[in-house]
Structure formats: C-alpha cells, structure tokens
Amino acid sequence: MSGLDTALVDRVRRRVAASGAPPTPAGVAAALRDEGGGLRGDVAHVVTALSGEIVGAGPLAALLSQSGVTDVLVNGPDEVWIDGDDGLARTTVRFADDDAVRRLAQRLAASAGRRLDAAQPWVDARLPDGVRLHAVLPPLSPAGTCLSLRVPRRRVFTLAELVAARTVPAEGAELLHRLVLSRTAFLVSGGTGTGKTTLLSALLSLVDPRHRVLLVEDASELRPDLPHVVRLEARPPNVEGAGAVGLHDLVRLALRMRPDRLVVGEVRGAEVVDLLAALNTGHEGGCGTVHANAAADVPARLEALAASAGLAREALHSQLASALRVAVHLTRSDGLRRVAEVCVLVRGADGAVCAVQAWSWDGDAERGTPGPAAPALAGLLG
C-alpha cells in the first residue's frame, strides 16, 4: 500500500489479530501507536488507509458499495474491472504490486474461515457480508493473483420493476406470474451474469404467503419477499478438508422439513437426482436455476449433472419427463438482461426430453412471439 511501510502494516495486522477484539479504526490507531508508527500529520487519513489494508476489502470497498455493481474482478495490480448494469468496465483502482493483491485475497479468505497459500492456491467462499469470493494464486494464474468478488443483490426486484427495466415485457410478466401460481415446476436457465437469481427471487415473491418455502443454496443469494422462508446453505470443508455439507445432502434434509415449495438456488451437481425425485413424489411448484447456453440445452445439461451422480441417461429422462415442465431462459446483450424464451419440456418418441419453444422475445418488440409449444404451455398454466 503506497505511503505506508509494508513491515509496519504487517506488525499492526498481527497486533490487531492478537488482541482478539473486532478490528475497528480505533483499534487500528492504537496498534499503530503501539508499533511506533506515530500519528503525525493527517491522522484520519493514515488510520483510514491502514484500516483499509487490514479490515474489509481495502481499495475494492468503494467499488463493492457502488450502486449497480454485481462483480469486482481483479486480473492484476493494474487491472481492476467492474461488471454491472452497463456491462464490463475498467476502473482506475490500482494496487501497489501483486503482493498487495495476494495479501487482500488471503485476508478475505481468512475472514471466511478458508486458507489460501501455496498448498491451497485457490479458494471459493462466501464472506461474512454475503459477497462471494473466488481467488486463484500463481502458479495456477501465471500472470499473478486473480480475485473475483460477486456482490449479492441488496434488495429484491419486483416483477413490475423487471418489466420497467425491459428484462421482460408486460405480456411475458403475466405469463410468468401464471407459471408461479399454477405450481408448475420450472428452471430458470442462462449464462453467468444473466440475472437468473434476480428473476427467480422476483418470481418466488409471488408465491402464496401461506406457503412454507425451503431454499437450498450453495451461497445465500435468493431473497424472496415472503413471510415463511427456511434457508439451508452448503458448508465448504474446513482447512483440514473435513466437514463439508453439499447441496446433495441439503436437498434431502429439506424434504424432511415439510416444504410447500422446494427451491434449489443453482442445480450444479448430484443434487439434481434428489430434486427430480422430490418433484416426482408430490412436491409441486419446485424450481431453481441452472447454467445453460440456451433453453434447448437444459435437458443435456441436467443429463450431464445426473451422470456425475451415477444416474443413467434413460433414468434421468424418465424422471425429468414427469418432474420439470418448463424452462425460462435469460440472455444478456450490451448489458441488457432479458427473458429470451419460455420452453416446455416434452418427452419425444425416443424417450428423451427436449425443450420446445412456447414463447420468445427479441427484446425490441412490445410483445413476444408464440412458439410451437404455446398450446401445451397454456394447458399447464390453466
């Protein structure tokens, strides 16, 4: 950190940590004084700068608090980017060197109870304030330490607000509202940063407030505006590599907690088998998100995930045919996130499930375009 001696910063950091007290600017100032750093000149500036090096996200804190920012990405000491409503943009934030980036990444990892060092050169964790941390150290990233921070949504957007933001036209919003009320099982699909969690939170807020909703997530991101929500969150292994609790286990736990709606924040592994089994045994209205390039790719994506859990292709498609009925797909172009299509999952003569388009929207027209499966979707929604 420019302007402050690195050795002094390290000594102050160790003293603050050894005190056992929560790090505060006052505590940093006292540790600085005890380490002989002196408090001459602009005291407030020195303490604030040093606190930023020891506590919080340091030079990235202002970016994380900036309105509309969803991701802060550090590719090196001189390359800090943000992603948000207007797409990727390079910032003027700089680090002194790669060691400064590495120290920040290690400190953030430690605050989440994880290690990041030569023996464990990458980390994926949730910070105490809800920010999702991913960091990679050399030699896995030869050019230097890479740091990615995903900012959780600070509030839940309503469906009306998503219409105003042109994420979905009014006609599509009505269709999605009916989808939720019909208790039809569905998945929201799309690539990274397309707004899957934002849309799912908005849709879940339309659920009958008398319903008990079980949320199963790798990291708590869904924030539906409902009175009866129970959250289960996966736990990573500790520094010894033990104690992990994955989504696969949490889905099973959730089924024993009398859910009216079972929601898996992101279907990404073996939990797909338990989710499909649950939806086939009377748990209506289940939903979640899944990464896919197009709605047509959703069955193949679920097939790949099920294969990792040892479920054969034929068995997966048999389960899928009667469990999930609809895929809502999101895309992103020029910073605009939008619902591009709604597809019905239909089982073909060969036994395989495919996604047939029932409604699509190009983002420009006032209304969407009906597809071949529009009558089937109307039948599902009642």
Side-chain angles (χ1 to χ4, degrees), residues 101-111 114 116-118 137:
V101 182
R102 183 188 183 106
R103 287 196 302 272
L104 174 60
Q106 290 176 320
R107 176 160 52 80
L108 293 176
S111 72
R114 305 292 298 277
L116 182 64
D117 50 33
L137 300 180

Side-chain angles (χ1 to χ4, degrees), residues 5 34 53 98 115 131 138 144 195 206 230 251 264 343:
D5 177 43
D34 292 342
E53 178 72 12
D98 188 66
R115 62 182 293 184
V131 172
L206 304 174
V230 179
V251 170
V264 178
C343 293

Side-chain angles (χ1 to χ4, degrees), residues 235-249:
R235 184 177 71 184
N238 58 23
V239 292
E240 286 81 26
V245 179
L247 297 183
H248 179 61
D249 303 301

Side-chain angles (χ1 to χ4, degrees), residues 32-58:
L32 178 63
R33 185 184 297 106
D34 292 342
E35 286 297 332
L39 290 175
R40 297 181 299 276
D42 190 345
V43 176
H45 171 74
V46 172
V47 172
T48 298
L50 189 53
S51 296
E53 178 72 12
I54 297 174
V55 184

Side-chain angles (χ1 to χ4, degrees), residues 285-316:
C287 54
T289 73
V290 65
H291 280 268
N293 293 326
D297 297 333
V298 169
R301 173 68 172 153
L302 297 179
E303 184 181 315
L305 295 177
S308 68
L311 188 65
R313 180 178 187 272
E314 295 77 10
L316 176 277

